[in-house]
Amino acid sequence: MMPRFAFLADDLTGASDVLAQAHAHGLNAVLVLDPDHPLPHDADVVGIASPIRSQAGTELDASVRAGLVALAALEVEALLYKVCSTFDSSPTVGNIGRAVELLHEQFPDHGSIPVVPAQPGFGRFTAFSQHFAAYAGGTYRLDRHPVMSRHPSTPMVEADLRRVLEAQLGYHPEVPGLHLPAHTDDAFAAQWTEHRRADGPAFVVDAVEDAHMDRVATALLAEATRDRPALVVGSGGIMTALARAITGRPPRRPQPTRSSGPTFVVSASASATTCQQIDDAVRRGWVDIALPTDALTADDSNEGSIGPWVDEVEQALRAGLDVVAHTTRGPDDSRLSAGAITSAEVGHSIGRLAARMTKQGLTRDVVICGGDTSSHALLALDVGELRVREQFVTAGPICMTDDRSSLAGCRVLLKGGQVGPVDLFHQFAGPDRTPNGSHGTRKHERTS
């Protein structure tokens, strides 16, 4: 088998979304975390995930280049540079414009690259280049979104994706848009070709419904060759449309899921959505453990550096209780500004904490929250490959890892900040499962 599609994701939870969309529509997909890891050929879709969304400068350049070089060797039909469907990025952190430049560096004869972050099935829409995202029953323009306008590292102050990209491209070229009327007056194909042949680095494509995404997939497949893949910058919505186009299958429906024992959630997500999910779990009797970020470290030689909370976690899991351990509980948590800790340090620390619990056999059901830190967490867990095990919520499949990982044999959910309903953790554990000895909430409040 030769892979048909490839993707480079700028964070791990976003990469798991691509896995989910491929799997839901009948494609076999696999994700690796290290571009030097041998890329498998037993899948329709092969991807690499890097913590690019939290990187800047030469570090970002190195990650993007390494991923693109590895994936270019696969000779696929289409290559997706996967970004968050909320497009959170800036000229200094997770720069998507710079990634566009590096795509041109790797594929110099491609022409202008379409940028399509819409994902209608996930409440992400682009209209006249203005980007919108659903939240708590409403839909908000990106710069007025209750969460994304307050993102701790890349607050979105502009909704026009043309302007966002122009600010991120070093030489400030004009970025055009392919707008909604082209979808309704049969002008899409002609305008797509015109934009693709233009001299600029990229163009933004509107989409507010699945039919619009299907037109994008058709255009990509029409120009795809093994010698030069069709390039696109976008969200999991692109993989949904590509998979739908070549399989014609309706999406798999998620089945009820249930943990085999106590569930362990580790979270470094500052999202208000994740905060609500933690609150819901605590109300249901999960053990609540606050991890003080100023005491965390990425020093692997110091196992004790993950703190005295280890005993609290171990005791709770041994008692059959579900546990949620977090480095922040919402965007206003004071721990976000405590100390000069990096996302890599946070990710390594929560990864080592999860590894300790799984190695002792205290849990086989793990949730890792936080798009910017989850890649670092899985690297600390020695994860080489990920594949979908079960369909779950949109953009959040339940995965399994390769055998060398500390998570081998575990059910693993990678949850991005905006992913999932309020009772997500409860659903993952199984609504009908009552932890042994559960008798309310226990807390370990060490926040300084």
Side-chain angles (χ1 to χ4, degrees):
M1 174 187 293
M2 287 294 293
R4 296 193 63 174
F5 306 127
F7 67 94
L8 174 61
D10 67 356
D11 79 344
L12 185 60
T13 53
S16 69
D17 177 24
V18 180
L19 293 183
Q21 306 313 321
H23 183 267
H25 290 85
L27 296 183
N28 182 14
V30 61
L31 176 71
V32 303
L33 274 69
D34 183 348
D36 293 328
H37 182 88
L39 296 182
H41 288 73
D42 62 339
D44 303 297
V45 183
V46 174
I48 297 173
S50 292
I52 299 166
R53 191 151 64 97
S54 61
Q55 293 179 335
T58 56
E59 186 180 34
L60 180 147
D61 285 7
S63 292
V64 175
R65 285 189 175 113
L68 293 180
V69 167
L71 294 174
L74 293 176
E75 298 183 351
V76 294
E77 297 173 48
L79 193 157
L80 165 65
Y81 182 76
K82 201 287 179 186
V83 300
C84 184
S85 60
T86 46
F87 216 73
D88 41 311
S89 56
S90 77
T92 56
V93 179
N95 189 328
I96 296 171
R98 178 57 180 159
V100 168
E101 293 175 332
L102 294 171
L103 281 163
H104 282 289
E105 177 184 281
Q106 180 65 42
F107 302 96
D109 299 323
H110 181 272
S112 190
I113 297 172
V115 176
V116 198
Q119 193 167 0
F122 195 36
R124 308 292 191 254
F125 314 99
T126 309
F128 298 95
S129 298
Q130 309 294 311
H131 202 53
F132 298 81
Y135 176 75
T139 300
Y140 301 85
R141 204 174 71 185
L142 198 57
D143 57 342
R144 298 179 182 176
H145 192 276
V147 176
M148 301 319 302
S149 65
R150 302 174 60 208
H151 192 284
S153 60
T154 51
M156 299 307 293
V157 298
E158 173 63 72
D160 190 327
L161 300 184
R162 296 169 299 181
R163 305 289 88 82
V164 173
L165 286 169
E166 287 168 4
Q168 293 181 10
L169 288 159
Y171 47 99
H172 298 285
E174 181 177 350
V175 175
L178 197 167
H179 291 155
L180 286 176
H183 287 289
T184 58
D185 62 10
D186 295 325
F188 183 86
Q191 289 194 27
W192 174 277
T193 300
E194 179 182 350
H195 283 295
R196 284 277 292 107
R197 292 175 177 172
D199 293 332
F203 60 101
V204 175
V205 182
D206 285 0
V208 297
E209 60 185 50
D210 287 345
H212 299 161
M213 299 301 295
D214 290 341
R215 288 193 182 92
V216 172
T218 297
L220 291 170
L221 291 170
E223 64 184 42
T225 67
R226 293 282 183 176
D227 295 333
R228 189 196 67 184
L231 304 180
V232 59
V233 174
S235 66
I238 293 293
M239 183 49 62
T240 303
L242 286 171
R244 192 163 51 218
I246 66 172
T247 69
R249 298 182 187 177
R252 290 185 173 102
R253 293 189 177 275
Q255 300 298 313
T257 182
R258 188 173 186 269
S259 293
S260 60
T263 301
F264 185 36
V265 175
V266 286
S267 175
S269 169
S271 161
T273 299
T274 305
C275 178
Q276 293 168 2
Q277 292 161 343
I278 293 173
D279 292 345
D280 176 79
V282 171
R283 283 194 298 269
R284 296 177 186 275
W286 289 46
V287 176
D288 173 18
I289 299 178
L291 305 176
T293 55
D294 59 349
L296 300 178
T297 174
D299 181 5
D300 293 320
S301 65
N302 183 9
E303 185 68 26
S305 67
I306 52 181
W309 331 279
V310 172
D311 290 339
E312 187 79 5
V313 174
E314 287 181 353
Q315 291 169 14
L317 292 174
R318 288 187 192 283
L321 300 171
D322 298 323
V323 177
V324 55
H326 48 85
T327 63
T328 179
R329 198 161 168 177
D332 298 321
D333 194 312
S334 61
R335 287 174 291 169
L336 282 172
S337 57
I341 188 167
T342 67
S343 61
E345 290 173 323
V346 173
H348 276 282
S349 291
I350 65 174
R352 293 202 323 276
L353 182 58
R356 181 163 176 155
M357 300 306 128
T358 59
K359 286 177 179 177
Q360 294 185 61
L362 299 178
T363 181
R364 309 306 294 166
D365 302 275
V366 178
V367 182
I368 301 175
C369 307
D372 292 348
T373 54
S374 54
S375 293
H376 300 293
L378 286 203
L379 289 172
L381 286 155
D382 297 320
V383 174
E385 294 184 9
L386 280 172
R387 297 176 189 256
V388 176
R389 171 172 169 166
E390 305 170 47
Q391 289 298 132
F392 193 41
V393 296
T394 302
I398 297 172
C399 296
M400 58 185 178
T401 73
D402 54 297
D403 291 341
R404 71 174 183 141
S405 166
S406 300
L407 293 177
C410 295
R411 297 165 69 243
V412 183
L413 173 63
L414 305 173
K415 196 204 85 69
Q418 310 310 310
V419 172
V422 168
D423 65 344
L424 178 71
F425 303 151
H426 179 59
Q427 286 190 28
F428 176 79
D432 61 338
R433 197 184 76 81
T434 301
N436 296 331
S438 179
H439 57 278
T441 302
R442 297 170 60 204
K443 293 188 177 183
H444 185 80
E445 299 288 357
R446 297 264 321 246
T447 59
S448 62

